Amino acid sequence: MLPTEYRLRRREDFATAVRRGRRAGRPLLVVHLRSGSTDPHALGESVSPSRAGFVVSKAVGGAVVRNAVKRRLRHLMRDRVALLPPGSLVVVRALPGAGDATHAELARDLDTALQRLLGGGAR
């Protein structure tokens, strides 16, 4: 499970990642990434850890399906959060097909989207 200090909780953080970040879409997911930006010359400023948040709407399925998708996504992000630049904000939005997808399919789409956002994939 993704530890609490790596999770987005505030509405403003979600809005910042979605409105000011870059986006990569896949058949099952849309990933928004706002890269961390800190001023190295600012006094007393420490680099915050990368944080991730998840959006799973009712279009994905009922409550049981939505919670299962969120659990899978949190588990997948646990291993991938270290790959992100420090201070980054990530929002993973599940699309309607994510409810029927396997764990491996979600992992493949998440990896592809993150790779594209981090500069490792072709468009």
Side-chain angles (χ1 to χ4, degrees):
M1 196 56 60
L2 188 64
T4 305
E5 63 267 15
Y6 296 111
R7 304 228 354 239
L8 284 181
R9 299 279 186 187
R10 295 178 30 215
R11 178 185 200 120
E12 296 83 22
D13 293 336
F14 277 87
T16 299
V18 171
R19 291 185 185 142
R20 297 186 179 171
R22 296 176 57 213
R23 180 181 68 208
R26 300 296 306 147
L28 303 175
L29 306 168
V30 176
V31 179
H32 300 269
L33 173 68
R34 169 80 170 156
S35 293
S37 57
T38 57
D39 183 7
H41 302 293
L43 297 175
E45 185 173 331
S46 62
V47 177
S48 63
S50 298
R51 295 179 294 150
F54 307 94
V55 178
V56 184
S57 73
K58 288 184 180 181
V60 173
V64 173
V65 173
R66 290 195 312 270
N67 286 325
V69 169
K70 280 188 272 189
R71 280 194 308 273
R72 287 180 183 161
L73 291 173
R74 281 195 305 262
H75 179 76
L76 290 168
M77 278 305 294
R78 179 186 66 183
D79 300 329
R80 291 157 179 84
V81 75
L83 304 173
L84 302 171
S88 296
L89 303 176
V90 177
V91 173
V92 180
R93 184 166 45 96
L95 297 176
D100 299 325
T102 65
H103 188 77
E105 291 170 337
L106 285 173
R108 183 192 66 232
D109 275 7
L110 182 60
D111 286 337
T112 303
L114 286 175
Q115 189 177 30
R116 182 180 295 172
L117 289 171
L118 295 173
R123 291 198 157 184

